Amino acid sequence: MHLIAIGGSDAGISAALRARELDPSVDVTVVVADSYPNFSICGIPYFFSGEVQPWQSLAHRTAADLEATGMRLRLDTFATSIDVSGQRLSVRDANGSESEIAYDELMVGTGALPSSAGIAGLDTLGRTTACTCCTMGDTFALDQHLTDRDPKTAIIIGAGYVGLEMAEALTVRGLKVTQLQRGPEVLSTLDPELGALVHRELDGRGVEVVTNALVESVSRTDNGLVVAGRHFGDAFERTADLVLAVVGVRPNTDLLERAGAQLGAGRAVVVDETMRTGLPHVFAAGDGVVTHHRLLGVTYLPLGTTAHKQGRVAGENALGGSARFAGSVGTQVLKVFDLVAARTGLREHEATPVGFTPVSTTAVADDHKAYYPGAQPISIRITGDSKTGKLLGAQLVGARGTETAKRVDTFATALFHGTTVAGISDLDLSYTPPLGSPWDAVQIATQRWEREHAKVQVNA
Amino acid sequence: MHLIAIGGSDAGISAALRARELDPSVDVTVVVADSYPNFSICGIPYFFSGEVQPWQSLAHRTAADLEATGMRLRLDTFATSIDVSGQRLSVRDANGSESEIAYDELMVGTGALPSSAGIAGLDTLGRTTACTCCTMGDTFALDQHLTDRDPKTAIIIGAGYVGLEMAEALTVRGLKVTQLQRGPEVLSTLDPELGALVHRELDGRGVEVVTNALVESVSRTDNGLVVAGRHFGDAFERTADLVLAVVGVRPNTDLLERAGAQLGAGRAVVVDETMRTGLPHVFAAGDGVVTHHRLLGVTYLPLGTTAHKQGRVAGENALGGSARFAGSVGTQVLKVFDLVAARTGLREHEATPVGFTPVSTTAVADDHKAYYPGAQPISIRITGDSKTGKLLGAQLVGARGTETAKRVDTFATALFHGTTVAGISDLDLSYTPPLGSPWDAVQIATQRWEREHAKVQVNA
C-alpha cells in the first residue's frame, strides 16, 4: 500500500501523519513543491515583525521530524499530472527531470494561490508585491527586499486577516503603513460596527487606514510604487516604497482539473465529506477544495484549521477508514496589535440566502467581574434566527488578555451542535471573579439578544 | 400576583430579576437575612487580599439598582416559617418583631452553611475561624480581626477552592500561611497529578502545605490557636495566630424541611428541573437544593453559576413559564496566584458508580504556537468511557494568561451536548499563532486520549 500526498502544507502533511499514525506499515510519500514542508504559513507575519526568529522556527515539524514518523519526503518536486486510471503521478524535480510514481491512493493538497483581484500591473511587480504570505519563497524574497532596499513607507492593499497582520508587522518593523480597503470598513469578515473597533486600534498604532478605496493598478515610477484607483468615485493615487496586495486567494485546482475533477463552489474542487474527489483513489483536501459548512452547506472557505481536519479525514480514508469531515462553522480569529477579533457562524447577509431570518444584537460585557482589577470590555455581536431562535453566529472583539479567542470557541462548539441562542444560557461555563462572571460574557450577550428578539411565553 | 424570593444571594436575586424582566407588572419581594443583598460571595477572598476595595464594590448590584428594577427588598429580615396551605411567610425583622407576608408564589434560596467537618472546638471560636466566606457579616468580622489583632501566622484547614483563594489572600496580606489538607493532595476536586501542580505553585509562593493532615480539634491557648490532629497516623499540633476552617458547606434546609419539603442527595431539598419543591407554590434554588447533573443524575453540587441558572428558571416558572434547569456538568475554575485550575464533567471515581468504564490520559500542550513569544504549557487530563468513547470529563491546569478558563468551557459545551472524545477533533475552533494552534490544545489532549484508548477501524 503506497499513499502519495501532494502538498507540504496543512492538508498534505495531516493526511500523511494520520495514515502513518493509524498504520505504521503503510508506505507514505509526500511530494512537496518547495524545500519547506510543514511550515506555519499563518506565522509568517510574525517573522516579518521580528517576533519569530529564525525562520526555521516556523516549521510545525522539521523534515527530520516528519521522516522520523516513517514518511518519505520528495522536496522541490512539482506534481505535473495524474494518470488516474494507471494510478501514477508525474513529477518534475528541481533539475527539471520528469518521472512517474505509482500510488495506490493519492491525496492532493495543492492549496490556493494569491488572487490579483483584477489589479493591473500586479503580476509584473513580482513576488515582493503580490503577497499573500503563502510560501516561504515569497517570504524570503520580501524579507530580502526589506533588508536590501530599506523601504520607509508601505501600502497594503486589503484589510483582511493577513493584510492586518502584515500592517502590524511592518509597523513594528518601523515602516509607515497605509492600509487600503475596498469596502466601508476594515476586516470585512465582521460587521462594520465591530470592524470599526479594529479600525480604531490601527489608528491608535499609526496605521493610516483608507476605506472605500478601489485599487485599479499598481505601477513602478522613479518616485516609488504608485497605487491608483478610485476613492468614493474620485480618482486617487498613493505612492510608497513598498506595496503589498493581500486581496484573497483562489483555489489551486490545475492538477486535479486536468485529471478530470469537477469544480464547484468558489471554483474549488468538489469533494464529499470523505474527501473523495470522485476520481478513483484520488482524495483532496485543504484550500483547493470546497468546504462543507454546517450552516451553509457546500461553500468555499479556505482555513488552515479546516485543512488540518480534512487532511486527517483523507489520510484515514485512504487506508480504508470511514471518517467524515464534520463540517466547518467558519471560526476565525485575528490578533492585531493588542486587539483580538473573532467570529464563528454566519452574519446576516450570509444567513438570509440559505433561508434564515437573521437578526443581530451587540452587547458589551466585561471579561471578568468589574470589581477585580483589570476587567476589560468585550464587544459581542450575536446573530440568531428570529423565527426559530437558532443561534446563527457570533462576532467578538476584545483586548488581548480577555480570553476572547477561546470565548469564540464556546460559540463554535454550541453552533456545531445546532443550539439556540437561549440554549447558551443553559451551558455550564466556568466562573471565578478574576476570569469570568456568573453569567459569562457570552451569556450576557445571548441574553441581550433574547430580550430584544425573543419573547418567552409566560401566563402570569 | 405577588412573588416572594427568600435570600439575597444568587438564587433569590436571579429569580426576582427574571420575574421582573418577564413581567414588569408582577409584585416581587426579596427577603434578605442581612443588609447585603446581591453581594459577590466569590469575591470575598479578593477583598481580604486588598485587590477589591472598598467592600461595597463586591455588590453585583446595589440595593438601589435592585429597587430600580421594581422589586421590593426586605433587608435584615429572617424568614422563620412557611404556612404552605395559607400561602403566608412568617418573618422576623432586625428588632425582633414577627410578621406575616402573603404570597402567590414563593421561591426559597436560603443557600448553604459552613460545615465544621467534625472538628472539635470550631463552634466555640466564632465567626473569625469557621470561615467559608459565606456572608458579608463574617467578612467584616474577620477583616476587623485582621486589623485589630494583626496576626502574623495563619493555618487554613482545607485546600479546596475557597481555602486556596484565602491562602493566596492572606499571603498577599503578609501572613505566613500553613495549609492543612486531609487528602493526599491539595484541590481534591482534581486528580492528584494535576493537584500537584497547584501544590507546587503554593510552595513557590511561600505557603506551607501539609497534606494527609486530619484535623481533630482547634483550641485557644496563651500562645495562640492550636490545631491538633493526626498526620499519617501520628499526632501533630500546629499553633498560629489565626485559624480558618474552610471545609465545605451543607445545605441550609431548615425552613423548607419544617414546611414539609423532602431531602435528597447531600441532604439538600429535593426539587425537579422546574425548581418546584413539591409543596404547592413553593420553588427553591441554589446551594440549598439538589443539583440535576447531566452525567450523574441528581446529586448535590453547590455552585454560584448553578444557583444563577436555577434561580432564573424558578423566577420564570413562578410566573407560569415552562423553563427547565438543563443540568450541570460540574464546571469549576480557580485562580490561585498565577495558576488557573479548572475542571468539568467527571473524574474516574465519579464516573464508575454511574455505569461508565472511565480511562484517563494527561497531555501537556502549549497554549499557542511555540514559535510565537510567550507560549506556556497547559496540562489537560481527559477522561472518557473506554467502551463508547464518550467524553466524561476534562481537567486543566495552566498559567494565568493561557486562556485555560475558557478552554474548559469548550469541554463544558461539548459535554453538555454529549459528545465523544473523538468528536472534540471535529470542533471548528479558532486559530491564530499568538493564541492557539491549528489543533487547539484541547484537541491535542483528546487526540492523545484517542491514541491511547481508542482504536480506529481501518481496513488497510
Side-chain angles (χ1 to χ4, degrees):
Chain A
M1 163 67 184
H2 182 212
L3 168 67
I4 299 180
I6 302 173
S9 193
D10 301 340
I13 297 292
S14 292
L17 286 170
R18 183 61 168 161
R20 291 289 309 167
E21 174 180 83
L22 290 174
D23 184 355
S25 77
V26 74
D27 198 11
V28 176
T29 303
V30 185
V31 173
V32 183
D34 62 19
S35 314
Y36 312 102
N38 209 200
F39 269 70
S40 177
I41 299 307
C42 298
I44 290 172
Y46 311 105
F47 169 68
F48 287 117
S49 70
E51 289 159 292
V52 174
Q53 293 292 344
W55 61 267
Q56 286 87 349
S57 62
L58 283 175
H60 287 303
R61 298 166 195 80
T62 64
D65 291 340
L66 292 168
E67 281 165 345
T69 70
M71 67 180 71
R72 187 185 306 114
L73 295 177
R74 299 264 310 241
L75 303 183
D76 298 306
T77 300
F78 188 75
T80 54
S81 70
I82 305 168
D83 170 2
V84 173
S85 58
Q87 289 175 251
R88 300 179 75 80
L89 178 72
S90 295
V91 298
R92 187 174 58 234
D93 70 17
N95 304 321
S97 6
E98 310 256 352
S99 59
E100 284 193 337
I101 326 175
Y103 64 79
D104 296 297
E105 304 291 337
L106 178 68
M107 159 44 218
V108 180
T110 45
L113 297 168
S115 165
S116 63
I119 300 172
L122 212 52
D123 299 341
T124 65
L125 291 169
R127 66 208 301 191
T128 62
T129 295
C131 160
T132 47
C133 305
C134 275
T135 70
M136 291 308 293
D138 291 344
T139 301
F140 298 138
L142 177 56
D143 190 53
Q144 194 69 50
H145 184 87
L146 287 165
T147 304
D148 293 350
R149 308 287 184 88
D150 194 22
K152 304 298 183 199
T153 58
I155 292 171
I156 296 179
I157 307 170
Y161 288 80
V162 180
L164 293 168
E165 287 166 351
M166 284 304 291
E168 174 181 346
L170 296 183
T171 300
V172 167
R173 200 155 166 152
L175 282 79
K176 169 68 190 157
V177 174
T178 300
Q179 190 132 34
L180 305 182
Q181 166 76 339
R182 186 160 57 173
E185 192 47 276
V186 300
L187 198 58
S188 63
T189 52
L190 297 189
D191 284 343
E193 168 179 352
L194 294 199
L197 302 175
V198 176
H199 191 144
R200 195 171 68 189
E201 179 77 3
L202 294 167
D203 285 346
R205 298 308 187 110
V207 176
E208 186 199 10
V209 176
V210 183
T211 56
N212 300 293
L214 180 66
V215 175
E216 292 169 336
S217 67
V218 183
S219 54
R220 193 184 303 277
T221 71
D222 290 345
N223 295 326
L225 294 164
V226 176
V227 174
R230 306 194 78 76
H231 184 233
F232 284 115
D234 296 331
F236 88 95
E237 250 188 36
R238 291 281 183 136
T239 303
D241 301 334
L242 177 71
V243 173
L244 300 180
V246 198
V247 287
V249 296
R250 57 185 170 85
N252 180 13
T253 58
D254 181 54
L255 182 69
L256 279 170
E257 228 182 321
R258 284 189 285 106
Q262 280 195 302
L263 300 191
R267 297 196 56 76
V269 169
V270 172
V271 289
D272 63 15
E273 293 96 330
T274 69
M275 295 298 121
R276 287 183 170 83
T277 59
L279 303 174
H281 305 291
V282 181
F283 295 82
D287 292 359
V289 307
V290 299
T291 313
H292 293 263
H293 189 294
R294 292 178 74 86
L295 293 160
L296 287 178
V298 177
T299 185
Y300 178 61
L301 184 54
L303 288 170
T305 45
T306 298
H308 274 83
K309 290 182 180 71
Q310 291 175 332
R312 189 171 191 255
V313 166
E316 184 166 331
N317 291 344
L319 269 62
S322 54
R324 297 177 77 81
F325 174 57
S328 167
V329 292
T331 311
Q332 300 169 55
V333 66
L334 164 76
K335 182 199 82 66
V336 57
F337 296 106
D338 280 337
L339 208 63
V340 175
R343 65 164 286 187
T344 188
L346 307 181
R347 290 163 58 206
E348 291 186 11
H349 70 281
E350 297 158 334
T352 304
V354 289
F356 294 111
T357 308
V359 287
S360 305
T361 293
T362 304
V364 178
D366 286 330
D367 70 314
H368 65 254
K369 288 301 300 179
Y371 59 69
Y372 188 86
Q376 295 191 81
I378 308 174
S379 296
I380 305 181
R381 185 160 175 81
I382 300 295
T383 300
D385 185 55
S386 65
K387 290 188 177 159
T388 60
K390 184 179 169 74
L391 177 67
L392 297 174
Q395 304 167 55
L396 299 87
V397 177
R400 216 174 153 189
T402 57
E403 308 208 2
T404 292
K406 295 300 131 191
R407 279 186 164 101
V408 81
D409 287 354
T410 301
F411 285 117
T413 304
L415 267 175
F416 185 93
H417 291 100
T419 186
T420 60
V421 176
I424 298 293
S425 287
D426 287 338
L427 297 176
D428 185 12
L429 305 179
S430 66
Y431 165 52
T432 183
L435 297 165
S437 304
W439 295 110
D440 188 72
V442 304
Q443 295 171 316
I444 290 170
T446 55
Q447 288 175 11
R448 174 145 184 179
W449 187 97
E450 281 187 83
R451 276 196 295 279
E452 294 190 9
H453 302 296
K455 276 288 161 227
V456 175
Q457 297 299 317
V458 294
N459 323 305
Chain B
M1 164 67 183
H2 183 212
L3 168 65
I4 299 181
I6 303 174
S9 194
D10 303 338
I13 296 292
S14 292
L17 286 170
R18 184 60 170 163
R20 291 290 308 167
E21 173 181 81
L22 290 174
D23 184 355
S25 78
V26 74
D27 198 11
V28 176
T29 303
V30 185
V31 173
V32 183
D34 62 20
S35 314
Y36 311 102
N38 209 199
F39 269 68
S40 176
I41 298 308
C42 298
I44 291 172
Y46 311 105
F47 169 70
F48 287 117
S49 70
E51 289 159 292
V52 175
Q53 294 291 344
W55 62 267
Q56 286 87 347
S57 62
L58 283 175
H60 286 302
R61 297 165 195 79
T62 65
D65 292 338
L66 292 168
E67 281 164 346
T69 71
M71 67 179 71
R72 188 183 307 116
L73 296 176
R74 300 265 309 243
L75 303 183
D76 299 304
T77 300
F78 188 76
T80 54
S81 68
I82 305 168
D83 171 1
V84 174
S85 58
Q87 289 175 249
R88 300 181 75 80
L89 178 71
S90 295
V91 299
R92 185 173 60 234
D93 70 16
N95 303 323
S97 358
E98 311 252 357
S99 59
E100 283 192 336
I101 326 176
Y103 62 80
D104 296 296
E105 303 292 338
L106 180 67
M107 156 48 216
V108 181
T110 45
L113 297 169
S115 164
S116 62
I119 300 172
L122 213 51
D123 299 340
T124 65
L125 291 171
R127 68 206 301 193
T128 62
T129 295
C131 159
T132 48
C133 305
C134 275
T135 71
M136 292 307 294
D138 290 343
T139 300
F140 298 137
L142 178 56
D143 190 53
Q144 194 68 51
H145 183 87
L146 287 164
T147 304
D148 293 351
R149 307 289 183 86
D150 194 21
K152 306 297 185 201
T153 57
I155 292 170
I156 297 179
I157 306 170
Y161 288 80
V162 180
L164 292 168
E165 288 165 352
M166 285 302 291
E168 174 181 346
L170 295 182
T171 300
V172 168
R173 201 159 167 149
L175 282 80
K176 169 69 190 155
V177 174
T178 300
Q179 189 132 31
L180 305 182
Q181 167 75 341
R182 185 162 57 173
E185 192 46 274
V186 300
L187 198 57
S188 63
T189 52
L190 297 189
D191 284 343
E193 169 180 348
L194 294 199
L197 302 175
V198 176
H199 190 144
R200 195 172 67 188
E201 179 77 3
L202 295 167
D203 284 346
R205 299 309 186 112
V207 176
E208 186 198 12
V209 176
V210 183
T211 56
N212 299 293
L214 179 67
V215 174
E216 292 170 336
S217 69
V218 183
S219 54
R220 195 185 302 279
T221 69
D222 290 345
N223 296 325
L225 295 164
V226 176
V227 173
R230 308 195 78 74
H231 184 233
F232 283 115
D234 295 333
F236 88 95
E237 250 189 36
R238 290 282 183 135
T239 303
D241 300 334
L242 177 70
V243 172
L244 299 181
V246 198
V247 287
V249 297
R250 57 185 171 84
N252 180 14
T253 57
D254 180 54
L255 182 70
L256 279 170
E257 230 182 320
R258 283 189 286 105
Q262 280 194 301
L263 300 191
R267 296 196 56 75
V269 169
V270 172
V271 290
D272 63 15
E273 293 96 330
T274 70
M275 295 297 123
R276 287 182 170 84
T277 58
L279 302 174
H281 307 288
V282 181
F283 295 81
D287 292 358
V289 308
V290 299
T291 313
H292 293 263
H293 190 293
R294 291 177 76 85
L295 294 160
L296 288 178
V298 177
T299 185
Y300 179 60
L301 183 54
L303 289 169
T305 45
T306 298
H308 274 83
K309 290 182 179 70
Q310 292 175 332
R312 189 170 190 254
V313 166
E316 185 167 330
N317 291 342
L319 267 62
S322 56
R324 297 177 76 82
F325 174 57
S328 168
V329 290
T331 311
Q332 300 169 54
V333 65
L334 163 77
K335 182 199 81 67
V336 57
F337 297 104
D338 281 336
L339 209 63
V340 175
R343 64 164 286 185
T344 188
L346 307 182
R347 289 163 57 207
E348 291 186 11
H349 70 280
E350 296 158 337
T352 304
V354 289
F356 295 110
T357 309
V359 286
S360 305
T361 294
T362 303
V364 178
D366 285 331
D367 69 316
H368 64 255
K369 288 300 300 179
Y371 60 69
Y372 189 86
Q376 294 190 81
I378 309 175
S379 296
I380 305 181
R381 186 162 173 81
I382 301 295
T383 301
D385 185 56
S386 64
K387 290 188 178 160
T388 61
K390 187 181 167 74
L391 177 67
L392 297 174
Q395 305 168 53
L396 299 89
V397 176
R400 215 173 153 190
T402 57
E403 307 208 4
T404 293
K406 295 300 128 190
R407 279 189 164 97
V408 81
D409 287 354
T410 301
F411 285 117
T413 303
L415 267 176
F416 184 93
H417 290 101
T419 187
T420 59
V421 176
I424 297 293
S425 287
D426 288 336
L427 297 177
D428 185 12
L429 305 179
S430 65
Y431 164 54
T432 183
L435 298 165
S437 303
W439 295 110
D440 189 72
V442 305
Q443 295 171 316
I444 291 171
T446 55
Q447 288 176 10
R448 176 148 184 175
W449 186 96
E450 281 188 83
R451 277 197 294 280
E452 295 190 8
H453 300 296
K455 277 286 163 230
V456 176
Q457 298 300 317
V458 294
N459 322 306

